[in-house]
Amino acid sequence: MFNEKAQMMKADDIRKLQTEKMLKMVRYAHDNVPMYKRKFKEAGISISDIKGLRDVHKIPFTVKDDLRDHYPYGILAVPREEVVRFHASSGTTGIPTVVSYTRNDLDKWNDLMARTYCAAGAKPEDIVQNAYGYGLFTGGLGFHYGAETLGCSVLPTATGNTKKQIQMMYDFKTTVLACTPSYAIYLAEASKNFGYKPREDFDIRIGMFGAEPWSDEARASIQESMGLRAQDVYGMSELYGPGVAVECPEQKGLHIWADEFYVETIDPVSGEVLPEGEKGELVFTMLSREAMPLLRYRTKDIAVINYEECDCGRWHPRIMRIKGRSDDMLIIGGVNVFPSQIEAALLETRGISEHYQIIVDRDVLDKLYVKVEVDKDLYESEDYNQEELLKRTSENLIAVLNIRANIKLLEPGAIPRTVGKAKRVIDMREEHDRIEDV
Ligand code: ADP
Ligand code: ZN
């Protein structure tokens, strides 16, 4: 097992190490990052007020805007010359957030990623096809060096070029596929279109899927069509990249590598720390980042943390699947709706495919539109009854959302496919507001 000592740490040892590293990190961030010195001063606290983990809640939060304010070099705690790499988050809204790494940071990240592969079930003898995007996005290089560190043979195919991708998967007998879940769904579909039978023709046994939210239903569908175990991987560029948390083969939550990341759950509105086991926004403190320390970083990701021992024997606390981001939540006619709930309801409906788009619009009232492709086999069969399918889909959506959706059934292939993270929600209300502002 790769770095077994770290992977199998007991709860008490984790706490002890976290305390030790936390105290060091607080001092390091305060003394080396002007922003933290200022934040401490503004909050009226000094380093000596932080004596243990129970005091961490006194430290002010760090938010994405703090990083944007430090464009382009980010929150540096070391001279720029010591930075050996930058990454940047795609930043759909405005200025990208840049993150930086020293040599030690990269070594640490590689170790975390190698553990991540190992905990998901990968072995040094595996052939890893890495179809995450290479470049400023952390997915490509993160999954790449992690697999190399574990000792796997890596095929850096990157995203896209789907036909060649599938050909290589077949020729090289790829055993581990790393990509976004939406690309995995696309690859499964495309390989069938190219005449392959994924379950028989490919040797992939593990999928390392992450970087975006996906449902248990999507997992079931990928596992079934590809004949592999689909493992969820969580991370974000601010926290090195992928490899913050990963599912073990039990698939009962994603283990956060707690010797490197201290996690809290907070009420996203009040900022209060919530008791263990309550659903809230995840906040992380990096326990040994050199170039860009982050104290109490607000992720906007909403989840529940489980601190019990896992059946795999690991004590690293588990994220019970990311339900979505606080800023992804749609408020439709006053009702809170997470896109992941819509996905789950759709995939539970027999005859409905995993390709969908959610559109929210407003005339007088808010309206929810769901466009979804009919499953190919059903669409082509004689039994296809559009009205009946529409009725069942609509009933399933109402059951979970409590609001009525306007559903449009589309022919297979009608919705554009993505090779990276899918853009499934279009909120036209934001567009209208923008036009009205002008
Ligand atoms: P950006 O998308 O802005 O470029 P990142 O690539 O760092 O930035 O994305 C990080 C975000 O992606 C996380 O905060 C989370 O919302 C989402 N994400 C990453 N992995 C997962 C996962 N396994 N499940 C759900 N959401 C995830
Ligand atoms: Zn486990």
Side-chain angles (χ1 to χ4, degrees):
M1 187 187 280
F2 186 89
N3 199 347
E4 184 168 357
K5 193 168 158 252
Q7 287 202 50
M8 302 314 291
M9 281 180 88
K10 296 277 181 273
D12 285 349
D13 296 329
I14 292 177
R15 294 295 280 189
K16 225 176 110 207
L17 188 60
Q18 283 185 326
T19 308
E20 229 169 79
K21 287 185 166 184
M22 177 66 82
L23 298 182
K24 255 169 92 181
M25 181 43 83
V26 168
R27 176 174 293 277
Y28 177 76
H30 174 275
D31 291 351
N32 295 285
V33 182
M35 179 190 80
Y36 280 119
K37 191 164 272 170
R38 202 188 62 238
K39 275 183 186 280
F40 273 61
K41 204 165 163 209
E42 281 166 7
I45 59 161
S46 65
I47 327 174
S48 56
D49 292 326
I50 314 299
K51 296 193 179 70
L53 296 178
R54 65 182 180 285
D55 298 319
V56 170
H57 70 97
K58 297 177 187 162
I59 303 171
F61 293 118
T62 310
V63 295
K64 203 165 187 121
D65 276 341
D66 290 324
L67 272 85
R68 291 215 179 93
D69 292 346
H70 289 78
Y71 181 80
Y73 291 137
I75 301 167
L76 280 186
V78 298
R80 203 272 311 137
E81 292 79 355
E82 283 180 35
V83 172
V84 296
R85 197 194 295 163
F86 293 110
H87 277 288
S89 129
S90 49
T92 34
T93 48
I95 305 169
T97 44
V98 180
V99 295
S100 47
Y101 310 70
T102 61
R103 168 58 49 205
N104 285 335
D105 289 337
L106 288 183
D107 289 347
K108 179 95 341 138
W109 185 21
N110 292 344
D111 168 85
L112 288 167
M113 273 311 290
R115 280 192 220 174
T116 295
Y117 273 105
C118 173
K123 299 203 161 64
E125 51 271 29
D126 272 309
I127 299 161
V128 176
Q129 182 158 344
N130 184 15
Y132 280 101
Y134 281 68
L136 286 171
F137 174 53
T138 51
L141 294 184
F143 278 94
H144 180 101
Y145 286 114
E148 281 190 0
T149 305
L150 182 60
C152 307
S153 316
V154 185
L155 273 168
T157 48
T159 47
N161 224 333
T162 301
K163 190 167 185 186
K164 195 161 164 213
Q165 187 98 245
I166 292 166
Q167 181 73 49
M168 295 195 84
M169 200 178 280
Y170 180 80
D171 293 343
F172 279 79
K173 303 195 179 350
T174 298
T175 55
V176 174
L177 173 65
C179 64
T180 59
S182 13
Y183 195 39
I185 290 171
Y186 179 26
L187 280 169
E189 176 189 56
S191 39
K192 282 178 201 153
N193 292 343
F194 291 132
Y196 293 96
K197 293 196 187 77
R199 290 187 72 98
E200 294 159 34
D201 293 338
F202 301 139
D203 295 314
I204 307 172
R205 47 182 207 94
I206 295 171
M208 300 290 289
F209 302 141
E212 62 179 355
W214 50 309
S215 59
D216 280 331
E217 290 75 11
R219 185 221 300 279
S221 150
I222 304 172
Q223 293 196 151
E224 167 60 27
S225 61
M226 301 278 274
L228 50 74
R229 281 191 81 75
Q231 302 293 112
D232 196 356
V233 188
Y234 170 79
M236 71 189 60
S237 51
E238 298 88 320
L239 308 174
Y240 294 119
V244 174
V246 64
E247 276 178 323
C248 66
E250 300 289 332
Q251 297 188 332
K252 287 181 195 141
L254 292 77
H255 289 285
I256 299 167
W257 298 120
D259 54 320
E260 288 300 334
F261 303 101
Y262 179 73
V263 67
E264 298 165 90
T265 314
I266 64 159
D267 178 323
V269 182
S270 71
E272 288 297 314
V273 176
L274 296 172
E276 280 185 11
E278 270 188 39
K279 184 169 92 180
E281 179 180 344
L282 302 184
V283 170
F284 287 96
T285 296
M286 299 182 87
L287 295 173
S288 53
R289 186 75 176 264
E290 262 183 4
M292 198 193 80
L294 286 180
L295 305 180
R296 303 196 82 207
Y297 185 70
R298 290 188 64 158
T299 61
K300 295 196 172 162
D301 291 326
I302 305 289
V304 177
I305 305 284
N306 179 339
Y307 289 86
E308 284 159 28
E309 182 184 9
C310 179
D311 290 340
C312 73
R314 287 183 187 80
W315 281 94
H316 291 279
R318 280 168 288 160
I319 303 174
M320 305 315 281
R321 230 140 208 263
I322 303 285
K323 294 285 173 215
R325 293 173 58 82
S326 57
D327 47 6
D328 279 351
M329 191 182 75
L330 298 162
I331 304 179
I332 305 171
V335 180
N336 297 351
V337 175
F338 278 108
S340 56
Q341 292 177 296
I342 299 180
E343 173 173 306
L346 289 175
L347 292 188
E348 259 173 31
T349 314
R350 211 169 10 89
I352 288 291
S353 81
E354 52 273 87
H355 303 287
Y356 66 94
Q357 236 168 19
I358 299 165
I359 299 154
V360 189
D361 204 349
R362 180 195 302 146
D363 40 37
V364 182
L365 295 171
D366 288 341
K367 287 219 166 79
L368 169 66
Y369 298 88
V370 177
K371 290 187 188 173
V372 62
E373 289 177 18
V374 179
D375 186 68
K376 195 158 179 270
D377 291 341
L378 177 66
Y379 193 81
E380 286 165 1
S381 89
E382 287 174 1
D383 303 335
Y384 178 42
N385 177 340
Q386 183 166 351
E387 237 162 78
E388 184 267 343
L389 182 58
L390 206 54
K391 184 163 165 285
R392 272 195 295 119
T393 314
S394 169
E395 283 168 0
N396 281 353
L397 277 172
I398 285 196
V400 290
L401 305 180
N402 288 316
I403 53 171
R404 191 165 284 282
N406 299 284
I407 300 158
K408 193 159 184 204
L409 297 177
L410 304 176
E411 60 177 349
I415 290 176
R417 305 295 190 248
T418 32
V419 296
K421 302 194 192 200
K423 169 117 182 95
R424 293 214 175 84
V425 182
I426 301 165
D427 196 337
M428 296 300 287
R429 296 173 302 182
E430 291 168 10
E431 294 295 317
H432 299 322
D433 290 345
R434 212 167 298 151
I435 293 164
E436 280 158 25
D437 280 348
V438 174

